[in-house]
Amino acid sequence: MKKTVAVVDYGMGNLRSVTQAVMHVAADAGVDVVWARTPAEVMAAERVVLPGQGGMRDCMRELHDSGMYGAVMHAAQHKPLMGVCVGMQMLLDHSEELDTPCLGLIPGEVVKFELGGQIQPDGSRYKVPQMGWNQVWHSNLGHPRPHPVWGDVPDGSYFYFVHSYFARPSDARHSVGETDYGQRFSAAIARDNIFATQFHPEKSADHGLALYRNFLHWKP
């Protein structure tokens, strides 16, 4: 039986580019990609990708209104799940954005950049939202080696970010990748069968594709 990965369509994600990127790497892995529009498609998949973009309150409302909430929570307990951008932020307890409760799967908060008056090394002011390429450093506090989804992606590789808020996990061991934009913050978080990135792998060239490929082979 061929394995499947479901990209969750709950009305709030960059579905086309995420799906195309996952399809690109899935072809060589013998994995079918499902653009999942029903809870049944999410439940039937072997692993799940949860994208997200836009406002946190809108994303959480649409996840509930679409009927996908229960299927995503089931996936988070029983199969490999990868969150992307706001899909990563949704995994935490709470977001400062419109005081929004999130999924509570990884303890922590989502907070807004406060970079007023800070100057970048090139003399320009930090802008919010951050839009651009950042180096991401593997962090493995409490673990003997970097998270397996990093695989052969070199430490310090560049990935593409677009965001005004960032994740602040309560337990530093759940931060498995970090970057700098006015301050150090988590660029990737993980717990058990969950791995998630603040950056967009589908917009991050070969290293981003490698991350999706590694997720398809990951056995948590």
Side-chain angles (χ1 to χ4, degrees):
M1 185 175 178
K2 202 167 187 182
K3 296 178 179 179
T4 59
V5 55
V7 181
V8 183
D9 182 2
Y10 58 100
M12 293 293 294
N14 188 15
L15 269 294
R16 187 168 300 281
S17 62
V18 172
T19 304
Q20 287 177 341
V22 176
M23 287 178 68
H24 182 77
V25 299
D28 294 335
V31 177
D32 281 336
V33 181
V34 177
W35 186 327
R37 297 177 174 88
T38 67
E41 290 172 313
V42 177
M43 295 290 286
E46 187 228 2
R47 55 192 66 217
V48 173
V49 176
L50 178 67
Q53 65 181 29
M56 177 63 78
R57 180 170 288 183
D58 292 338
C59 285
M60 289 301 302
R61 183 187 67 243
E62 291 299 318
L63 187 67
H64 283 278
D65 290 352
S66 67
M68 291 291 199
Y69 172 83
V72 168
M73 292 298 284
H74 181 271
Q77 300 297 329
H78 298 284
K79 60 188 74 173
L81 182 146
M82 181 172 179
V84 178
C85 195
V86 178
M88 164 183 160
Q89 296 179 1
M90 292 167 73
L91 301 174
L92 283 88
D93 292 321
H94 178 268
S95 175
E96 285 185 349
E97 188 175 6
L98 297 178
D99 190 22
T100 305
C102 302
L103 297 175
L105 294 166
I106 295 179
E109 302 285 318
V110 180
V111 298
K112 188 170 185 178
F113 281 119
E114 300 291 349
L115 302 173
Q118 291 192 45
I119 304 297
Q120 300 193 66
D122 65 3
S124 64
R125 291 185 179 275
Y126 283 98
K127 295 179 180 178
V128 178
Q130 180 205 359
M131 299 176 64
W133 295 81
N134 275 19
Q135 274 186 292
V136 175
W137 305 100
H138 306 162
S139 50
N140 58 333
L141 186 65
H143 305 282
R145 57 185 61 87
H147 193 280
V149 175
W150 289 121
D152 56 357
V153 176
D155 197 18
S157 296
Y158 282 84
F159 292 90
Y160 189 76
F161 290 76
V162 182
H163 62 127
S164 300
Y165 294 79
F166 62 92
R168 185 180 286 163
S170 300
D171 187 336
R173 290 174 296 180
H174 294 149
S175 179
V176 296
E178 296 186 345
T179 190
D180 289 295
Y181 188 71
Q183 64 192 87
R184 194 83 160 180
F185 66 89
S186 291
I189 60 176
R191 181 183 185 183
D192 302 326
N193 56 300
I194 298 171
F195 180 88
T197 67
Q198 178 62 66
F199 54 83
H200 290 270
E202 69 282 357
K203 297 180 180 178
S204 299
D206 289 347
H207 289 144
L209 290 175
L211 212 60
Y212 281 135
R213 184 180 296 110
N214 295 341
F215 171 71
L216 294 183
H217 292 285
W218 179 37
K219 294 180 173 62

